[in-house]
Amino acid sequence: QVQLVESGGGSVQAGGSLRLSCAASGFTTSSNSMGWFRQAPGKEREGVASIDRDGRTSYADSVKGRFTISQDNAKNTLYLQMNSLKPEDTAMYYCAVGGWKTTIQALRLDTRSYNYWGQGTQVTVSS
């Protein structure tokens, strides 16, 4: 059974940093594409970052240069290092397991390319 459990969210001031973790079970993260998404109140869920089986990463323009996606194969855990946080980064953050559509570069940050989702962890950035 696939399970994803996010942690590491919290409240920080603008300019601060957080590292999100996504502990996976029931499958091997390194054998799948994985992604981080976020959803702010009243907005659609959007892709933030993804990493495929070959380690290739993709980022939303809004987070490039500030966020880094990585994974620890030994711990079967996905991470999202978030630096220089802005108030507009405030959202619920979710990790997800990608399906075959993530082999298409243009779909790597598309929610429809992902099959399993965690419950989310809240990130709040104050100005």
Side-chain angles (χ1 to χ4, degrees):
Q1 182 180 358
V2 173
Q3 281 195 316
L4 300 167
V5 180
E6 301 95 334
S7 61
S11 297
V12 297
Q13 290 193 325
S17 298
L18 284 173
R19 188 177 80 155
L20 306 184
S21 299
C22 173
S25 59
F27 71 102
T28 303
T29 56
S30 60
S31 297
N32 293 271
S33 292
M34 301 290 297
W36 284 101
F37 294 78
R38 66 186 181 187
Q39 187 167 18
K43 294 187 176 181
E44 292 187 354
R45 191 170 298 189
E46 63 175 0
V48 174
S50 71
I51 185 167
D52 70 9
R53 294 181 296 178
D54 297 321
R56 291 174 296 194
T57 57
S58 299
Y59 295 95
D61 288 342
S62 59
V63 305
K64 280 181 182 176
R66 300 189 298 122
F67 290 12
T68 303
I69 188 171
S70 63
Q71 56 188 20
D72 184 328
N73 296 336
K75 295 183 178 180
N76 212 35
T77 299
L78 182 72
Y79 300 101
L80 184 68
Q81 178 66 44
M82 305 186 296
N83 298 328
S84 301
L85 282 162
K86 303 175 181 180
E88 51 263 44
D89 294 319
T90 295
M92 185 72 78
Y93 283 72
Y94 301 88
C95 67
V97 185
W100 68 266
K101 291 182 180 178
T102 56
T103 60
I104 303 170
Q105 185 173 1
L107 299 180
R108 286 179 187 161
L109 295 179
D110 190 318
T111 57
R112 295 168 295 182
S113 301
Y114 290 78
N115 302 319
Y116 299 95
W117 297 81
Q119 83 292 344
T121 186
Q122 178 67 38
V123 171
T124 302
V125 185
S126 58
S127 57

